[in-house]
Amino acid sequence: MLAGYSFRPRLWALALAAAACAAGIALGNWQTRRAEEKIAAAAELEKKRVSLRGVFRPELTVLLDNKIRNHRIGYEVVTPLRLDDATHVLVDRGWFARGAKEPPAPAGRVSIEGIALPRLPHALRLGEEAKARIRQNLDIAGFASETGLALHPFVVEQHSDSGDGLLRDWPRPDLGVDMHKSYALQWYSLAALAVALLIVLSFRKNGKN
């Protein structure tokens, strides 16, 4: 205790500090949870890593339009891969820029590695989409019906390099974890600052209100 001073917090200061502290802790906890959720999502996705061998069917390739990488518009190339049991799986092979020449699919038997996803990202579109080679969306069941292929109910996001020049810079589910942790630290620091300021400003000289 400082000589000649006593700890006498004002009610309004107590209320303000309590509100700031509660808000800082709540927002810090929220940012921490978001970081943990992204870490868990990345760990869960790693469990879906697959390795496949087969032959690509380039004549059935579909280009998904309006896909952006590094502020450039282009296409994601989705090609069915024929497996040894005559079934097929859709492979999102990668991206190339609009206006560039489409890289051909590797010929012959290939081995690929990637992540198995339940579906391709869906872009909002009004009305029925024509079954053209260039599209906004591709549905697994719909494409199976359209082509007659026996498709597995998942899409492989290819991560291995096939030497075809396609960009495979896929968004990571843990992207932004460090940002969330940084924001959490800032909010917790704000809560601590509110308490520290309350303590410092609540010491008043004896004899004064």
Side-chain angles (χ1 to χ4, degrees):
M1 185 72 66
L2 297 174
Y5 289 82
S6 60
F7 182 70
R8 290 180 291 162
R10 294 178 173 85
L11 287 178
W12 65 265
L14 273 173
L16 186 61
C21 186
I25 291 173
L27 289 169
N29 289 343
W30 180 76
Q31 292 288 352
T32 298
R33 285 195 301 273
R34 291 290 293 132
E36 292 172 347
E37 287 170 1
K38 289 190 174 183
I39 292 172
E44 185 64 28
L45 201 58
E46 280 299 313
K47 298 178 183 178
K48 300 175 183 178
R49 188 170 291 275
V50 297
S51 297
L52 299 174
R53 290 178 61 83
V55 179
F56 278 119
R57 300 281 305 276
E59 73 279 9
L60 298 176
T61 291
V62 171
L63 303 182
L64 298 182
D65 200 1
N66 293 317
K67 303 300 182 181
I68 299 175
R69 298 289 189 277
N70 301 320
H71 309 292
R72 301 173 66 194
I73 297 178
Y75 307 94
E76 284 184 17
V77 184
V78 182
T79 305
L81 181 72
R82 186 182 187 277
L83 307 179
D84 292 339
D85 61 0
T87 62
H88 290 74
V89 61
L90 290 177
V91 179
D92 194 344
R93 294 168 41 220
W95 177 94
F96 73 98
R98 184 182 292 175
K101 184 178 180 180
E102 178 188 342
R109 188 172 173 80
V110 298
S111 297
I112 66 164
E113 295 181 359
I115 299 293
L117 302 176
R119 61 181 179 84
L120 289 159
H122 187 83
L124 179 63
R125 184 177 178 85
L126 299 177
E128 188 72 19
E129 186 170 18
K131 302 300 186 285
R133 192 167 186 272
I134 298 178
R135 314 181 187 186
Q136 297 290 331
N137 299 295
L138 184 60
D139 174 72
I140 298 175
F143 193 68
S145 176
E146 174 187 340
T147 59
L149 297 179
L151 285 175
H152 288 272
F154 59 87
V155 177
V156 174
E157 180 184 271
Q158 183 178 344
H159 287 203
S160 57
D161 185 14
S162 297
D164 53 13
L166 290 171
L167 179 66
R168 298 182 180 90
D169 184 18
W170 306 111
R172 294 182 4 243
D174 63 346
L175 191 65
V177 167
D178 290 339
M179 178 192 68
H180 287 300
K181 289 182 176 179
S182 176
Y183 286 159
L185 179 59
Q186 291 177 28
W187 285 117
Y188 290 141
S189 298
L190 176 63
L193 179 62
V195 173
L197 286 175
L198 173 67
I199 294 172
V200 171
L201 297 177
S202 294
F203 278 102
R204 288 184 281 164
K205 197 167 185 178
N206 293 331
K208 288 189 176 181
N209 292 328

PDB file of all heavy atoms in Angstrom, residues 142-167:
ATOM      1  N   GLY A 142     -24.454 -36.160 -60.688  1.00  0.00           N
ATOM      2  CA  GLY A 142     -24.918 -35.677 -61.980  1.00  0.00           C
ATOM      3  C   GLY A 142     -23.981 -36.046 -63.110  1.00  0.00           C
ATOM      4  O   GLY A 142     -24.414 -36.421 -64.207  1.00  0.00           O
ATOM      5  N   PHE A 143     -22.664 -35.967 -62.849  1.00  0.00           N
ATOM      6  CA  PHE A 143     -21.684 -36.297 -63.878  1.00  0.00           C
ATOM      7  C   PHE A 143     -21.681 -37.799 -64.153  1.00  0.00           C
ATOM      8  O   PHE A 143     -21.482 -38.227 -65.288  1.00  0.00           O
ATOM      9  CB  PHE A 143     -20.297 -35.834 -63.445  1.00  0.00           C
ATOM     10  CG  PHE A 143     -19.274 -35.849 -64.544  1.00  0.00           C
ATOM     11  CD1 PHE A 143     -19.366 -34.967 -65.609  1.00  0.00           C
ATOM     12  CD2 PHE A 143     -18.214 -36.753 -64.509  1.00  0.00           C
ATOM     13  CE1 PHE A 143     -18.408 -34.981 -66.629  1.00  0.00           C
ATOM     14  CE2 PHE A 143     -17.258 -36.769 -65.520  1.00  0.00           C
ATOM     15  CZ  PHE A 143     -17.357 -35.882 -66.578  1.00  0.00           C
ATOM     16  N   ALA A 144     -21.912 -38.606 -63.109  1.00  0.00           N
ATOM     17  CA  ALA A 144     -22.007 -40.054 -63.300  1.00  0.00           C
ATOM     18  C   ALA A 144     -23.187 -40.400 -64.196  1.00  0.00           C
ATOM     19  O   ALA A 144     -23.083 -41.244 -65.097  1.00  0.00           O
ATOM     20  CB  ALA A 144     -22.138 -40.749 -61.949  1.00  0.00           C
ATOM     21  N   SER A 145     -24.308 -39.736 -63.963  1.00  0.00           N
ATOM     22  CA  SER A 145     -25.495 -39.975 -64.789  1.00  0.00           C
ATOM     23  C   SER A 145     -25.269 -39.506 -66.222  1.00  0.00           C
ATOM     24  O   SER A 145     -25.698 -40.152 -67.180  1.00  0.00           O
ATOM     25  CB  SER A 145     -26.694 -39.257 -64.172  1.00  0.00           C
ATOM     26  OG  SER A 145     -27.833 -39.373 -64.980  1.00  0.00           O
ATOM     27  N   GLU A 146     -24.580 -38.391 -66.360  1.00  0.00           N
ATOM     28  CA  GLU A 146     -24.329 -37.802 -67.671  1.00  0.00           C
ATOM     29  C   GLU A 146     -23.398 -38.663 -68.523  1.00  0.00           C
ATOM     30  O   GLU A 146     -23.581 -38.793 -69.735  1.00  0.00           O
ATOM     31  CB  GLU A 146     -23.724 -36.412 -67.457  1.00  0.00           C
ATOM     32  CG  GLU A 146     -23.267 -35.699 -68.693  1.00  0.00           C
ATOM     33  CD  GLU A 146     -22.542 -34.408 -68.328  1.00  0.00           C
ATOM     34  OE1 GLU A 146     -22.724 -33.899 -67.206  1.00  0.00           O
ATOM     35  OE2 GLU A 146     -21.791 -33.914 -69.193  1.00  0.00           O
ATOM     36  N   THR A 147     -22.377 -39.253 -67.883  1.00  0.00           N
ATOM     37  CA  THR A 147     -21.347 -39.980 -68.628  1.00  0.00           C
ATOM     38  C   THR A 147     -21.505 -41.498 -68.578  1.00  0.00           C
ATOM     39  O   THR A 147     -20.890 -42.211 -69.378  1.00  0.00           O
ATOM     40  CB  THR A 147     -19.958 -39.629 -68.068  1.00  0.00           C
ATOM     41  OG1 THR A 147     -19.911 -39.983 -66.670  1.00  0.00           O
ATOM     42  CG2 THR A 147     -19.679 -38.142 -68.225  1.00  0.00           C
ATOM     43  N   GLY A 148     -22.269 -41.989 -67.606  1.00  0.00           N
ATOM     44  CA  GLY A 148     -22.391 -43.423 -67.432  1.00  0.00           C
ATOM     45  C   GLY A 148     -21.237 -44.048 -66.675  1.00  0.00           C
ATOM     46  O   GLY A 148     -21.141 -45.278 -66.579  1.00  0.00           O
ATOM     47  N   LEU A 149     -20.354 -43.227 -66.125  1.00  0.00           N
ATOM     48  CA  LEU A 149     -19.209 -43.745 -65.374  1.00  0.00           C
ATOM     49  C   LEU A 149     -19.642 -44.209 -63.982  1.00  0.00           C
ATOM     50  O   LEU A 149     -20.531 -43.617 -63.371  1.00  0.00           O
ATOM     51  CB  LEU A 149     -18.132 -42.665 -65.223  1.00  0.00           C
ATOM     52  CG  LEU A 149     -17.482 -42.140 -66.501  1.00  0.00           C
ATOM     53  CD1 LEU A 149     -16.459 -41.064 -66.145  1.00  0.00           C
ATOM     54  CD2 LEU A 149     -16.817 -43.259 -67.283  1.00  0.00           C
ATOM     55  N   ALA A 150     -18.987 -45.250 -63.502  1.00  0.00           N
ATOM     56  CA  ALA A 150     -19.174 -45.686 -62.113  1.00  0.00           C
ATOM     57  C   ALA A 150     -18.206 -44.868 -61.256  1.00  0.00           C
ATOM     58  O   ALA A 150     -17.029 -45.217 -61.111  1.00  0.00           O
ATOM     59  CB  ALA A 150     -18.889 -47.180 -61.975  1.00  0.00           C
ATOM     60  N   LEU A 151     -18.698 -43.761 -60.730  1.00  0.00           N
ATOM     61  CA  LEU A 151     -17.845 -42.829 -59.998  1.00  0.00           C
ATOM     62  C   LEU A 151     -17.895 -43.085 -58.506  1.00  0.00           C
ATOM     63  O   LEU A 151     -18.959 -43.316 -57.929  1.00  0.00           O
ATOM     64  CB  LEU A 151     -18.296 -41.381 -60.264  1.00  0.00           C
ATOM     65  CG  LEU A 151     -17.937 -40.775 -61.619  1.00  0.00           C
ATOM     66  CD1 LEU A 151     -18.577 -39.395 -61.755  1.00  0.00           C
ATOM     67  CD2 LEU A 151     -16.426 -40.671 -61.795  1.00  0.00           C
ATOM     68  N   HIS A 152     -16.731 -43.007 -57.878  1.00  0.00           N
ATOM     69  CA  HIS A 152     -16.689 -43.065 -56.421  1.00  0.00           C
ATOM     70  C   HIS A 152     -17.271 -41.759 -55.862  1.00  0.00           C
ATOM     71  O   HIS A 152     -17.160 -40.700 -56.504  1.00  0.00           O
ATOM     72  CB  HIS A 152     -15.253 -43.266 -55.942  1.00  0.00           C
ATOM     73  CG  HIS A 152     -14.730 -44.640 -56.216  1.00  0.00           C
ATOM     74  ND1 HIS A 152     -14.895 -45.679 -55.336  1.00  0.00           N
ATOM     75  CD2 HIS A 152     -14.062 -45.147 -57.289  1.00  0.00           C
ATOM     76  CE1 HIS A 152     -14.337 -46.769 -55.834  1.00  0.00           C
ATOM     77  NE2 HIS A 152     -13.833 -46.477 -57.025  1.00  0.00           N
ATOM     78  N   PRO A 153     -17.871 -41.802 -54.668  1.00  0.00           N
ATOM     79  CA  PRO A 153     -18.567 -40.618 -54.134  1.00  0.00           C
ATOM     80  C   PRO A 153     -17.637 -39.608 -53.461  1.00  0.00           C
ATOM     81  O   PRO A 153     -17.925 -39.096 -52.392  1.00  0.00           O
ATOM     82  CB  PRO A 153     -19.531 -41.238 -53.120  1.00  0.00           C
ATOM     83  CG  PRO A 153     -18.803 -42.431 -52.616  1.00  0.00           C
ATOM     84  CD  PRO A 153     -18.060 -42.980 -53.801  1.00  0.00           C
ATOM     85  N   PHE A 154     -16.512 -39.354 -54.087  1.00  0.00           N
ATOM     86  CA  PHE A 154     -15.598 -38.335 -53.572  1.00  0.00           C
ATOM     87  C   PHE A 154     -14.755 -37.805 -54.729  1.00  0.00           C
ATOM     88  O   PHE A 154     -14.691 -38.413 -55.805  1.00  0.00           O
ATOM     89  CB  PHE A 154     -14.708 -38.883 -52.450  1.00  0.00           C
ATOM     90  CG  PHE A 154     -13.843 -40.056 -52.842  1.00  0.00           C
ATOM     91  CD1 PHE A 154     -12.591 -39.865 -53.409  1.00  0.00           C
ATOM     92  CD2 PHE A 154     -14.300 -41.359 -52.656  1.00  0.00           C
ATOM     93  CE1 PHE A 154     -11.792 -40.934 -53.777  1.00  0.00           C
ATOM     94  CE2 PHE A 154     -13.502 -42.444 -53.017  1.00  0.00           C
ATOM     95  CZ  PHE A 154     -12.251 -42.236 -53.580  1.00  0.00           C
ATOM     96  N   VAL A 155     -14.130 -36.668 -54.496  1.00  0.00           N
ATOM     97  CA  VAL A 155     -13.240 -36.049 -55.480  1.00  0.00           C
ATOM     98  C   VAL A 155     -11.849 -35.983 -54.866  1.00  0.00           C
ATOM     99  O   VAL A 155     -11.703 -35.658 -53.684  1.00  0.00           O
ATOM    100  CB  VAL A 155     -13.715 -34.626 -55.833  1.00  0.00           C
ATOM    101  CG1 VAL A 155     -12.738 -33.961 -56.801  1.00  0.00           C
ATOM    102  CG2 VAL A 155     -15.103 -34.662 -56.441  1.00  0.00           C
ATOM    103  N   VAL A 156     -10.833 -36.278 -55.652  1.00  0.00           N
ATOM    104  CA  VAL A 156      -9.460 -36.192 -55.160  1.00  0.00           C
ATOM    105  C   VAL A 156      -8.858 -34.856 -55.583  1.00  0.00           C
ATOM    106  O   VAL A 156      -8.782 -34.547 -56.772  1.00  0.00           O
ATOM    107  CB  VAL A 156      -8.594 -37.352 -55.686  1.00  0.00           C
ATOM    108  CG1 VAL A 156      -7.133 -37.148 -55.264  1.00  0.00           C
ATOM    109  CG2 VAL A 156      -9.103 -38.677 -55.144  1.00  0.00           C
ATOM    110  N   GLU A 157      -8.458 -34.082 -54.599  1.00  0.00           N
ATOM    111  CA  GLU A 157      -7.734 -32.837 -54.833  1.00  0.00           C
ATOM    112  C   GLU A 157      -6.258 -33.213 -54.949  1.00  0.00           C
ATOM    113  O   GLU A 157      -5.615 -33.551 -53.967  1.00  0.00           O
ATOM    114  CB  GLU A 157      -7.979 -31.892 -53.665  1.00  0.00           C
ATOM    115  CG  GLU A 157      -7.285 -30.553 -53.762  1.00  0.00           C
ATOM    116  CD  GLU A 157      -7.527 -29.740 -52.502  1.00  0.00           C
ATOM    117  OE1 GLU A 157      -8.517 -29.004 -52.453  1.00  0.00           O
ATOM    118  OE2 GLU A 157      -6.720 -29.882 -51.542  1.00  0.00           O
ATOM    119  N   GLN A 158      -5.737 -33.200 -56.167  1.00  0.00           N
ATOM    120  CA  GLN A 158      -4.387 -33.708 -56.399  1.00  0.00           C
ATOM    121  C   GLN A 158      -3.325 -32.792 -55.792  1.00  0.00           C
ATOM    122  O   GLN A 158      -3.320 -31.580 -56.009  1.00  0.00           O
ATOM    123  CB  GLN A 158      -4.122 -33.880 -57.895  1.00  0.00           C
ATOM    124  CG  GLN A 158      -2.751 -34.482 -58.205  1.00  0.00           C
ATOM    125  CD  GLN A 158      -2.519 -34.703 -59.685  1.00  0.00           C
ATOM    126  OE1 GLN A 158      -3.464 -34.688 -60.470  1.00  0.00           O
ATOM    127  NE2 GLN A 158      -1.276 -34.902 -60.073  1.00  0.00           N
ATOM    128  N   HIS A 159      -2.395 -33.388 -55.046  1.00  0.00           N
ATOM    129  CA  HIS A 159      -1.290 -32.649 -54.449  1.00  0.00           C
ATOM    130  C   HIS A 159       0.054 -33.036 -55.053  1.00  0.00           C
ATOM    131  O   HIS A 159       1.000 -32.255 -54.985  1.00  0.00           O
ATOM    132  CB  HIS A 159      -1.263 -32.877 -52.931  1.00  0.00           C
ATOM    133  CG  HIS A 159      -2.358 -32.175 -52.210  1.00  0.00           C
ATOM    134  ND1 HIS A 159      -2.299 -31.853 -50.876  1.00  0.00           N
ATOM    135  CD2 HIS A 159      -3.571 -31.724 -52.629  1.00  0.00           C
ATOM    136  CE1 HIS A 159      -3.411 -31.236 -50.496  1.00  0.00           C
ATOM    137  NE2 HIS A 159      -4.202 -31.164 -51.551  1.00  0.00           N
ATOM    138  N   SER A 160       0.163 -34.229 -55.593  1.00  0.00           N
ATOM    139  CA  SER A 160       1.429 -34.670 -56.184  1.00  0.00           C
ATOM    140  C   SER A 160       1.647 -33.988 -57.532  1.00  0.00           C
ATOM    141  O   SER A 160       0.705 -33.583 -58.208  1.00  0.00           O
ATOM    142  CB  SER A 160       1.428 -36.190 -56.356  1.00  0.00           C
ATOM    143  OG  SER A 160       0.317 -36.609 -57.145  1.00  0.00           O
ATOM    144  N   ASP A 161       2.918 -33.868 -57.912  1.00  0.00           N
ATOM    145  CA  ASP A 161       3.261 -33.216 -59.170  1.00  0.00           C
ATOM    146  C   ASP A 161       3.257 -34.222 -60.305  1.00  0.00           C
ATOM    147  O   ASP A 161       3.886 -35.282 -60.211  1.00  0.00           O
ATOM    148  CB  ASP A 161       4.643 -32.576 -59.041  1.00  0.00           C
ATOM    149  CG  ASP A 161       5.030 -31.769 -60.264  1.00  0.00           C
ATOM    150  OD1 ASP A 161       4.140 -31.480 -61.095  1.00  0.00           O
ATOM    151  OD2 ASP A 161       6.224 -31.434 -60.399  1.00  0.00           O
ATOM    152  N   SER A 162       2.540 -33.899 -61.367  1.00  0.00           N
ATOM    153  CA  SER A 162       2.496 -34.774 -62.535  1.00  0.00           C
ATOM    154  C   SER A 162       3.326 -34.229 -63.692  1.00  0.00           C
ATOM    155  O   SER A 162       3.306 -34.785 -64.787  1.00  0.00           O
ATOM    156  CB  SER A 162       1.043 -34.972 -63.006  1.00  0.00           C
ATOM    157  OG  SER A 162       0.281 -35.623 -62.021  1.00  0.00           O
ATOM    158  N   GLY A 163       4.015 -33.117 -63.467  1.00  0.00           N
ATOM    159  CA  GLY A 163       4.806 -32.522 -64.527  1.00  0.00           C
ATOM    160  C   GLY A 163       3.979 -31.916 -65.639  1.00  0.00           C
ATOM    161  O   GLY A 163       4.463 -31.731 -66.762  1.00  0.00           O
ATOM    162  N   ASP A 164       2.716 -31.592 -65.347  1.00  0.00           N
ATOM    163  CA  ASP A 164       1.833 -31.065 -66.391  1.00  0.00           C
ATOM    164  C   ASP A 164       1.726 -29.542 -66.373  1.00  0.00           C
ATOM    165  O   ASP A 164       1.000 -28.961 -67.178  1.00  0.00           O
ATOM    166  CB  ASP A 164       0.432 -31.678 -66.267  1.00  0.00           C
ATOM    167  CG  ASP A 164      -0.144 -31.529 -64.855  1.00  0.00           C
ATOM    168  OD1 ASP A 164       0.415 -30.755 -64.057  1.00  0.00           O
ATOM    169  OD2 ASP A 164      -1.145 -32.212 -64.561  1.00  0.00           O
ATOM    170  N   GLY A 165       2.411 -28.896 -65.451  1.00  0.00           N
ATOM    171  CA  GLY A 165       2.410 -27.433 -65.413  1.00  0.00           C
ATOM    172  C   GLY A 165       1.226 -26.803 -64.721  1.00  0.00           C
ATOM    173  O   GLY A 165       1.128 -25.573 -64.661  1.00  0.00           O
ATOM    174  N   LEU A 166       0.319 -27.606 -64.185  1.00  0.00           N
ATOM    175  CA  LEU A 166      -0.834 -27.051 -63.471  1.00  0.00           C
ATOM    176  C   LEU A 166      -0.411 -26.574 -62.076  1.00  0.00           C
ATOM    177  O   LEU A 166       0.453 -27.172 -61.427  1.00  0.00           O
ATOM    178  CB  LEU A 166      -1.935 -28.105 -63.337  1.00  0.00           C
ATOM    179  CG  LEU A 166      -2.659 -28.484 -64.631  1.00  0.00           C
ATOM    180  CD1 LEU A 166      -3.566 -29.687 -64.399  1.00  0.00           C
ATOM    181  CD2 LEU A 166      -3.468 -27.305 -65.161  1.00  0.00           C
ATOM    182  N   LEU A 167      -1.053 -25.506 -61.628  1.00  0.00           N
ATOM    183  CA  LEU A 167      -0.791 -24.972 -60.293  1.00  0.00           C
ATOM    184  C   LEU A 167      -1.666 -25.693 -59.283  1.00  0.00           C
ATOM    185  O   LEU A 167      -2.881 -25.809 -59.463  1.00  0.00           O
ATOM    186  CB  LEU A 167      -1.085 -23.468 -60.264  1.00  0.00           C
ATOM    187  CG  LEU A 167      -0.881 -22.764 -58.928  1.00  0.00           C
ATOM    188  CD1 LEU A 167       0.592 -22.768 -58.526  1.00  0.00           C
ATOM    189  CD2 LEU A 167      -1.396 -21.321 -58.998  1.00  0.00           C
TER     190      LEU A 167
END
